[in-house]
Amino acid sequence: MPTSRRQKMSINSPPIGVTVLAKLTSNVCPSIHFNRFLLYKTSVLVLTYVAYVCYHMTRKPIAVVKSVLHQNCSDLPRPSDFKINSFNDETWCDYAPFDGSDASALLGILDSSFLFCYAIAMFFSGLIAERVSLRYYLSLGMLLSGFFCYTFGYAKTKDVHSLAYFVIVQSFAGIFQTTGWPGVVTVVSRWCGKSKRGLILGIWNSHTSIGNMLGTYIAAHYVATDWSMSFIVPGFIMGIVGFIIFLFLVDSPEIVGMQHEVTAANPEDTSNYRRFDDSDESGLGEVTIRTEHESNPSLRSLRGSLNSESQRYNERTPMLGMNSNHHETPIGFIGALKIPGVIEFSLCLFFSKLVNYTFLFWLPLYIKNTTPLTPEASAELSMVFDIGGIVGAIATGVISDTTSMPASTCVGMLFVAAPLLFIYETYGALSWLINVSMLFVLGLFVNGPYALITTSVSAELGQHKSLEGNGKALATVTSIIDGTGSIGAAVGPLIAGLVQAGGWQNVFYMLISSNIIAMLLLFRLVRKEFSKLNRRRNNIRIE
């Protein structure tokens, strides 16, 4: 291939949608000038937000549809055109194979097939995400995730009753759902600095709860008439958004020549940047300020050369193509585990995500079984938990930013959540007002630690000072933390499905125990955070 041709193919070009919009704007409104950096940064935040709303939107329908796959048929009016006999007298309203006494266990298997595949694939997803174009990665993952959500509902239209079919569909859905979190977190971190990261990511992380609420609303709208549409509609929406991501997402500032603007807008990432300081083996704790350019002026030119040779992707870049001369080598799995704090927060997320996802998959069914509400009303009431989760994510981020004590913030939230779980199980069903109030407060304290660990903490650990400036670790660290948490998310609904037959109180005992264990896992980091806090106070007194 001629040299000019090779050079042409190496030119970094923006997505086709961005190119078309830029040309239209220059032709239609040539006199209007935009702040290009602000425009690109806003578009990234909006697109990644909407993308992850869709990821969670397609996870929620199964929780809503459970209430009609297996229900008490004696409470329902019998259709006149349906032949009922001694064999189907008690199961005529159910959908096989979930029409037997083992329905709860089978539904738990569906949850676990999704979540275990999600958890296992997540460990590999981050490694892949560090090595590919994230725009391709996210758009392809969204298209395939939407497809498998669609095929779950399509089973009803074709009268499919094979458990193996549903397990396979859920398994593949779980695998492709892993493209979401490492992808969106890495893209956002490339464009946003570390200033007020807890607050910004706390607000941005509301996409999880908004996605749950949107998925619940869509599924609840169709669940009583045709539950297949509860899956088909979210799957179709996700496919469309995935195509929009392919057209418009600028996954790296270098693609549009904005790397210098990012540096200028976030000086704390270059000359004065925040890092987790583990000099006293604290793991995670006090954030210290380092002025590298003042101590070593030559680093300024070195940083410029590294930025100029940063990895770039364009429409012609192979999905798995990497520049072997690139200065930043993607960190390995073992290397990521050695970062102080990764193991503790990963294990904590195992138990806190177990609690969160048990609510995600079983709360609508619990409300229906313990209240006189219809399946549609039960699903709508469960959205209050997600509303509380939005507030909890923001509040936890603000507290963590203010105190620089993320582990202590998580433990405080978990400490309050444990007794609240017992109170909700005991008194939540007494009245609609108590149920709503308790669900909101529970969502706040249950979702807060989960949101903080998966966003701000993961982003900080992915840029730990032990990496010596290597930016190729964020997706890997994020996938390890979220992958470990996802194993807990898989275990929780499975255990809930098994123990629910003995009473819902058994499920809540499991959740309370998980919360307590999550607290204990962070005690070492909490102790060191308070030790640092005391040293800072003593230094202030001495001065």
Side-chain angles (χ1 to χ4, degrees):
M1 183 182 296
T3 303
S4 59
R5 176 62 175 167
R6 288 198 303 268
Q7 291 175 346
K8 182 178 180 180
M9 290 187 65
S10 66
I11 295 176
N12 202 16
S13 58
I16 185 172
V18 173
T19 302
V20 171
L21 281 179
K23 290 182 178 179
L24 286 175
T25 303
S26 61
N27 292 333
V28 176
C29 307
S31 60
I32 299 178
H33 300 282
F34 300 96
N35 184 329
R36 292 178 67 241
F37 172 68
L38 181 61
L39 189 63
Y40 282 125
K41 184 176 179 180
T42 301
S43 71
V44 166
L45 289 172
V46 171
L47 287 173
T48 53
Y49 186 95
V50 174
Y52 212 69
V53 163
C54 291
Y55 274 98
H56 263 262
M57 175 187 66
T58 53
R59 297 179 194 180
K60 190 65 178 182
I62 184 64
V64 177
V65 172
K66 281 178 182 178
S67 60
V68 297
L69 294 179
H70 183 80
Q71 51 191 326
N72 189 352
C73 299
S74 60
D75 295 337
L76 301 175
R78 301 187 179 191
S80 58
D81 58 342
F82 188 83
K83 293 183 179 180
I84 299 175
N85 51 48
S86 58
F87 296 101
N88 64 3
D89 183 59
E90 297 181 355
T91 62
W92 62 267
C93 64
D94 299 334
Y95 190 84
F98 310 105
D99 55 351
S101 58
D102 60 346
S104 295
L106 295 182
L107 292 171
I109 290 174
L110 287 188
D111 295 339
S112 297
S113 61
F114 174 92
L115 292 167
F116 274 117
C117 288
Y118 179 92
I120 295 171
M122 181 59 77
F123 289 104
F124 300 97
S125 180
L127 297 173
I128 298 173
E130 298 286 10
R131 294 161 169 81
V132 303
S133 167
L134 291 177
R135 179 165 61 88
Y136 287 110
Y137 194 57
L138 282 171
S139 58
L140 180 62
M142 292 186 71
L143 289 171
L144 291 173
S145 296
F147 171 77
F148 283 105
C149 181
Y150 178 95
T151 54
F152 193 103
Y154 188 70
K156 183 177 184 296
T157 64
K158 293 299 180 179
D159 204 29
V160 176
H161 296 277
S162 170
L163 178 64
Y165 173 88
F166 292 109
V167 169
I168 291 173
V169 167
Q170 285 289 84
S171 298
F172 277 102
I175 291 172
F176 291 111
Q177 282 269 330
T178 62
T179 57
W181 193 239
V184 296
V185 169
T186 303
V187 171
V188 169
S189 295
R190 288 176 179 175
W191 283 93
C192 299
K194 299 180 182 179
S195 178
K196 297 183 180 179
R197 172 174 278 171
L199 173 61
I200 294 173
L201 292 183
I203 296 173
W204 178 76
N205 191 60
S206 65
H207 51 42
T208 298
S209 297
I210 295 295
N212 291 339
M213 293 166 61
L214 182 60
T216 299
Y217 178 80
I218 295 174
H221 180 73
Y222 294 106
V223 66
T225 55
D226 183 4
W227 63 259
S228 66
M229 298 300 293
S230 298
F231 293 91
I232 291 174
V233 173
F236 182 73
I237 294 173
M238 188 173 194
I240 293 177
V241 175
F243 185 64
I244 293 174
I245 292 294
F246 173 76
L247 292 178
F248 296 103
L249 180 66
V250 181
D251 59 23
S252 178
E254 289 83 356
I255 290 178
V256 289
M258 292 281 114
Q259 61 268 38
H260 300 299
E261 284 78 357
V262 173
T263 301
N266 303 291
E268 73 276 8
D269 290 345
T270 54
S271 60
N272 296 326
Y273 58 92
R274 300 168 65 224
R275 285 179 174 176
F276 284 121
D277 186 4
D278 62 333
S279 59
D280 63 343
E281 298 180 351
S282 61
L284 273 170
E286 178 183 3
V287 177
T288 60
I289 302 296
R290 304 185 185 276
T291 55
E292 289 191 354
H293 289 177
E294 295 177 3
S295 61
N296 190 353
S298 64
L299 288 177
R300 184 179 293 107
S301 59
L302 175 60
R303 186 180 301 278
S305 65
L306 289 176
N307 284 338
S308 65
E309 298 182 20
S310 61
Q311 180 67 27
R312 298 175 179 178
Y313 299 102
N314 56 35
E315 297 285 350
R316 305 177 182 87
T317 303
M319 275 286 289
L320 295 175
M322 281 295 297
N323 186 347
S324 59
N325 295 325
H326 196 276
H327 288 271
E328 292 185 351
T329 303
I331 191 171
F333 183 83
I334 301 300
L337 286 177
K338 292 180 180 179
I339 299 174
V342 168
I343 293 178
E344 287 93 337
F345 276 107
S346 296
L347 294 176
C348 176
L349 189 63
F350 175 96
F351 291 98
S352 60
K353 199 168 183 178
L354 181 154
V355 176
N356 190 282
Y357 268 65
T358 301
F359 272 96
L360 174 70
F361 283 95
W362 287 95
L363 183 57
L365 182 60
Y366 171 76
I367 294 174
K368 178 181 177 295
N369 288 351
T370 57
T371 67
L373 297 177
T374 64
E376 181 178 358
S378 299
E380 292 173 351
L381 179 58
S382 70
M383 289 192 289
V384 177
F385 179 83
D386 295 303
I387 297 174
I390 296 174
V391 178
I394 297 173
T396 310
V398 171
I399 295 171
S400 179
D401 279 341
T402 304
T403 62
S404 296
M405 299 171 68
S408 302
T409 303
C410 290
V411 168
M413 300 287 277
L414 292 168
F415 180 80
V416 177
L420 286 177
L421 287 166
F422 176 78
I423 295 172
Y424 178 68
E425 192 277 329
T426 306
Y427 302 106
L430 292 180
S431 72
W432 184 86
L433 181 60
I434 294 176
N435 211 325
V436 169
S437 303
M438 289 299 303
L439 279 177
F440 178 83
V441 177
L442 264 179
L444 192 154
F445 286 98
V446 168
N447 193 65
Y450 160 65
L452 181 64
I453 295 173
T454 56
T455 54
S456 180
V457 169
S458 295
E460 292 285 357
L461 288 172
Q463 295 169 314
H464 193 270
K465 77 168 192 173
S466 64
L467 298 171
E468 298 180 349
N470 187 353
K472 289 288 188 176
L474 184 55
T476 302
V477 171
T478 300
S479 66
I480 289 175
I481 293 176
D482 197 51
T484 306
S486 298
I487 296 176
V491 171
L494 175 62
I495 297 177
L498 296 175
V499 304
Q500 184 269 330
W504 283 102
Q505 69 275 9
N506 295 332
V507 177
F508 280 88
Y509 292 154
M510 174 196 70
L511 300 181
I512 293 170
S513 300
S514 299
N515 249 35
I516 294 173
I517 296 173
M519 283 191 295
L520 295 175
L521 288 167
L522 293 183
F523 269 173
R524 185 186 74 87
L525 297 179
V526 169
R527 180 173 58 83
K528 292 187 178 294
E529 285 180 351
F530 274 96
S531 176
K532 278 193 166 186
L533 179 63
N534 291 332
R535 286 201 299 273
R536 288 204 302 267
R537 289 175 176 173
N538 291 334
N539 290 337
I540 292 174
R541 293 192 191 100
I542 293 173
E543 292 173 359

